[in-house]
Amino acid sequence: MPIAVIAADITTLAADAIVNAANEALLGGGGVDGAIHRAAGPALLAACRALPEVAPGVRCPTGEARITPGFALPARWVIHTVGPVWHGGGRDEAALLADCHRNALRLARGHGLRRIAFPAISCGVYGYPAPLAAGVALGTLREVLERDPAFDIVLCCYSEPMRAVFQAALTSA
Ligand code: AR6
């Protein structure tokens, strides 16, 4: 199965695309979003700002994805997606998190991109319990890979404990 789980800074990966765990405004933020904007340079913010708003202040609704170039990043593209804020599990969080992964790969497929690195979407500021998020992420990625095995996917965690959580989800299912 072409899924690898690693601990690294996603901004250092020379993938076809790295996925950003953004917010609906797509104008940057903290966490991995801030790191990606810093490493890509100001052209990334300009490219995000140029994406159309679908509602006031919303360029990418939760669960959807948008693509921009990677600019100064080693990755050629950035696929921005917006994970759900964790509210306890009763607000469609799992379905929305699955949508993030599915829609990111749909965009990747449309651009002919194969090697895609994902961060642990929603597992930081948005508070999604990591073991639950890992199960959703890996379950969804597996489903897509069954239909499209040409993808080469890296789950890029930022810490060794997070890597262990995602690795457990990879090996248990
Ligand atoms: N490389 C890989 N993973 C990283 C990196 C990095 N350089 N930096 C942080 N992480 P978060 P969210 C991990 O909070 O929960 C932003 O402000 C981090 O340790 O970045 O989806 C956005 O603008 C955690 O495991 O994203 C939104 O407002 C994971 O990435 C909001 O945060 C995700 O943590 C999105 O929250």
Side-chain angles (χ1 to χ4, degrees):
M1 182 69 74
I3 304 181
V5 178
I6 65 171
D9 176 350
I10 201 168
T11 65
T12 66
L13 301 183
D16 291 333
I18 61 171
V19 176
N20 184 15
N23 58 64
E24 291 188 330
L26 291 192
L27 297 180
V32 71
D33 193 8
I36 288 172
H37 275 270
R38 277 192 301 279
L44 181 60
L45 182 59
C48 288
R49 208 181 284 283
L51 293 169
E53 286 186 338
V54 296
V58 176
R59 291 180 180 76
C60 183
T62 302
E64 295 191 13
R66 302 288 186 269
I67 190 165
T68 66
F71 300 103
L73 287 164
R76 284 197 290 136
W77 298 91
V78 179
I79 297 174
H80 307 262
T81 190
V82 182
V85 176
W86 179 255
H87 289 287
R91 294 207 205 166
D92 277 343
E93 290 96 327
L96 290 164
L97 187 61
D99 285 347
C100 288
H101 292 81
R102 221 176 274 123
N103 286 325
L105 289 181
R106 183 174 300 145
L107 266 181
R109 188 183 300 112
H111 284 72
L113 312 179
R114 288 296 166 201
R115 188 168 171 76
I116 315 296
F118 284 83
I121 299 167
S122 287
C123 291
V125 173
Y126 281 0
Y128 209 120
L132 299 182
V136 171
L138 287 161
T140 308
L141 294 173
R142 268 212 188 81
E143 273 173 33
V144 175
L145 280 166
E146 273 168 23
R147 277 177 281 121
D148 195 347
F151 278 123
D152 176 9
I153 293 180
V154 175
L155 251 155
C156 179
C157 300
Y158 202 39
S159 68
E160 175 51 35
M162 190 66 89
R163 191 202 63 76
V165 168
F166 275 74
Q167 184 64 48
L170 178 64
T171 43
S172 74

